[in-house]
Amino acid sequence: MADRIERGWRVLATALCFIIFGIGGLLVRLVVFPLLSLMPWSADTHRRVCRNVIHYTLTGFLWLMCRLGVIEYRVRNGERLRRGGLLIVANHPSLIDIVFLMTLTRGADCVVKADLARNPFTGAAVAATGWIRNDAGGVAMVEDCIASLRAGSNLIIFPEGTRTRPGEPLQLQRGAANVAVRGGFDLTPVVIRCEPPTLTKGDKWYRVPARRPCYEIDVHPDVSVEPWMPVETEAVQAVRRLNRSLSDFFTREIRREGA
């Protein structure tokens, strides 16, 4: 009976968290961002301030989810994300993975789906922060990512492009590998696990697992891009090789963490 009551509470608490998230998104869109747009800042300063607003807002959202008992989480080597100019690549098992990365990485840039720019709760954030949309096209998106990193921003990319489908192998797109090879940037891999799984691809928010999910966020040492830089081979071949290596890395590390 106690387990049923606890699980029922987590369903209600999850609903409350998403309601608060939606209300918070509207307040930021209708109040905070319009007020910030009145300030006599440069465009770069405005983007930086707006990214910090998102950082602190999501930090509060993560705190709320933990306090209400919806989730718990552990971070290993999070200090590695407190540097600048990082190309952060992560696997994507859950809907809220970006919340962890945005909380751990202050003022980060990221590559987002074009749909988020049209969403009433997230569209204003995409516009105000200057996050990179994935509908810009392959070459244009890669160039935008390289420009962001060279400006000193931390850039978050989920190489899968969408959440992992449970039970299926990872399918990495080549965007992150393209940015690394063509821009000459090392990669900072982040392995995310959630046990038991929740908020996965195709999962309904109210289908909470039998026990409270625990997220593990493990920030690994940087992966040097130097061995993959195209010297004698073409850049396309170097990108493919690096992408395969990233896929093998994440697959291996996810299994290792789950062992």
Side-chain angles (χ1 to χ4, degrees):
M1 178 62 71
D3 290 341
R4 293 179 63 184
I5 293 174
E6 192 270 344
R7 190 174 186 179
W9 163 250
R10 284 191 285 112
V11 173
L12 293 175
T14 300
L16 177 61
C17 286
F18 281 112
I19 290 171
I20 292 175
F21 180 86
I23 294 173
L26 287 176
L27 287 176
V28 169
R29 174 186 179 180
L30 299 176
V31 179
V32 178
F33 284 160
L35 288 176
L36 292 177
S37 68
L38 299 177
M39 302 299 291
W41 291 327
S42 67
D44 288 342
T45 300
H46 181 263
R47 282 194 297 269
R48 184 170 63 252
V49 171
C50 289
R51 289 176 184 179
N52 285 334
V53 167
I54 297 299
H55 164 77
Y56 288 114
T57 300
L58 292 181
T59 298
F61 178 67
L62 183 59
W63 175 86
L64 178 67
M65 294 186 78
C66 291
R67 291 292 293 177
L68 292 179
V70 175
I71 63 168
E72 56 186 20
Y73 72 96
R74 294 190 291 268
V75 179
R76 287 196 288 268
N77 303 308
E79 69 279 357
R80 290 173 175 160
L81 297 181
R82 299 185 193 130
R83 299 169 290 159
L86 300 177
L87 174 53
I88 301 166
V89 290
N91 62 310
H92 197 3
S94 168
L95 178 65
I96 60 172
D97 300 329
I98 189 60
V99 175
F100 293 106
L101 295 180
M102 284 288 184
T103 297
L104 294 169
T105 312
R106 181 176 173 180
D109 198 356
C110 62
V111 176
V112 300
K113 292 182 178 180
D115 291 345
L116 293 179
R118 296 186 288 270
N119 187 298
F121 299 105
T122 59
V126 175
T129 57
W131 290 337
I132 300 168
R133 294 168 45 166
N134 66 2
D135 64 342
V139 175
M141 188 188 75
V142 169
E143 290 178 348
D144 288 343
C145 290
I146 291 173
S148 177
L149 288 164
R150 286 179 177 166
S153 297
N154 291 326
L155 177 66
I156 299 170
I157 299 181
F158 293 109
E160 295 171 85
T162 187
R163 280 174 285 170
T164 310
R165 290 191 177 277
E168 296 185 7
L170 299 182
Q171 299 288 336
L172 268 58
Q173 307 297 318
R174 296 175 186 166
N178 256 308
V179 174
V181 170
R182 299 181 189 280
F185 299 105
D186 295 343
L187 302 102
T188 303
V190 180
V191 177
I192 302 173
R193 284 191 69 253
C194 181
E195 185 60 37
T198 187
L199 299 175
T200 57
K201 186 76 170 179
D203 196 12
K204 303 297 184 183
W205 66 266
Y206 51 81
R207 291 179 179 170
V208 302
R211 55 188 172 87
R212 184 186 308 172
C214 179
Y215 285 83
E216 294 183 359
I217 298 93
D218 192 358
V219 185
H220 286 252
D222 292 349
V223 174
S224 174
V225 74
E226 185 63 29
W228 313 102
M229 293 299 287
V231 179
E232 298 179 356
T233 60
E234 294 183 2
V236 173
Q237 295 175 341
V239 168
R240 289 174 179 170
R241 290 171 53 235
L242 176 55
N243 201 55
R244 283 196 299 268
S245 179
L246 283 175
S247 181
D248 293 343
F249 169 84
F250 279 111
T251 299
R252 181 177 66 252
E253 292 300 323
I254 291 169
R255 290 173 177 171
R256 178 180 299 171
E257 293 293 328

